[in-house]
Amino acid sequence: MAASDRSDHELIELVRVGDLTALGALFARHHEAGLRVARAVTGETHRAEDLVSDAFERIHAAIRRGGGPDESFRAYLYTVIRRLAIEHGTAASRLDDTDDFTPYEALTAVDDGTERSAEATIVASAFAALPPRHQAVLWYVDVEGMPIDPSGAQSRD
């Protein structure tokens, strides 16, 4: 399996055992997004490049020590970039702390399936916890496409 086909979690685990190709794949996948955040924080293109490089170095060292991210590599990268900017005194005078990274996401974002997988697990668990009758109703409505009769009357065909 090519490194680009692996999830962030798999790549991080490979980096933990010393695979620099996996680190390169993470860099290729998240570099552009990191640059967008660094530019937003510093307002300087050349400083943004330095911050992103420093952030990847720091994350690599943390992973090799057994720390660092486990799954959410991009969120971890964003945090390291902001902290480095503050440490180096290059952060813009006003920082907007937010958990909303939507402004920084673009067409370069990579869907590694992690979010869909987590959502599918949650939905499957919730479905399994329902009584059999409720499971059947959901199945007929959502999968089979049967209409819902709001009057409560059952049709006899």
Side-chain angles (χ1 to χ4, degrees):
M1 175 182 284
S4 61
D5 295 335
R6 296 181 184 268
S7 71
D8 283 356
H9 176 72
E10 291 171 316
L11 291 172
I12 291 167
E13 292 305 313
L14 290 171
V15 172
R16 283 194 203 289
V17 296
D19 185 345
L20 292 180
T21 305
L23 182 63
L26 286 168
F27 183 86
R29 185 176 291 171
H30 299 290
H31 180 257
E32 260 317 299
L35 278 176
R36 284 191 302 277
V37 170
R39 281 189 210 110
V41 170
T42 65
E44 303 174 30
T45 302
H46 69 280
R47 187 65 190 128
E49 287 280 354
D50 292 342
L51 277 177
V52 173
S53 294
D54 291 349
F56 272 94
E57 284 180 33
R58 192 171 280 193
I59 292 170
H60 178 235
I63 291 172
R64 293 290 292 157
R65 287 190 312 270
D70 286 322
E71 304 229 357
S72 301
F73 187 88
R74 188 168 288 189
Y76 196 92
L77 174 66
Y78 292 166
T79 301
V80 172
I81 289 170
R82 287 193 314 246
R83 286 185 180 168
L84 283 170
I86 292 168
E87 283 177 22
H88 295 160
T90 58
S93 60
R94 184 175 150 247
L95 293 178
D96 294 326
D97 286 339
T98 180
D99 291 335
D100 180 19
F101 294 112
T102 308
Y104 307 112
E105 299 296 333
L107 297 176
T108 59
V110 174
D111 180 9
D112 66 356
T114 305
E115 190 173 319
R116 282 189 315 241
S117 175
E119 184 177 306
T121 302
I122 292 169
V123 170
S125 296
F127 185 79
L130 291 173
R133 183 177 175 150
H134 293 161
Q135 287 179 3
V137 169
L138 283 175
W139 181 266
Y140 288 127
V141 171
D142 285 339
V143 177
E144 300 291 332
M146 294 179 96
I148 299 174
D149 183 3
S151 69
Q154 294 180 358
S155 62
R156 306 257 188 232
D157 290 341

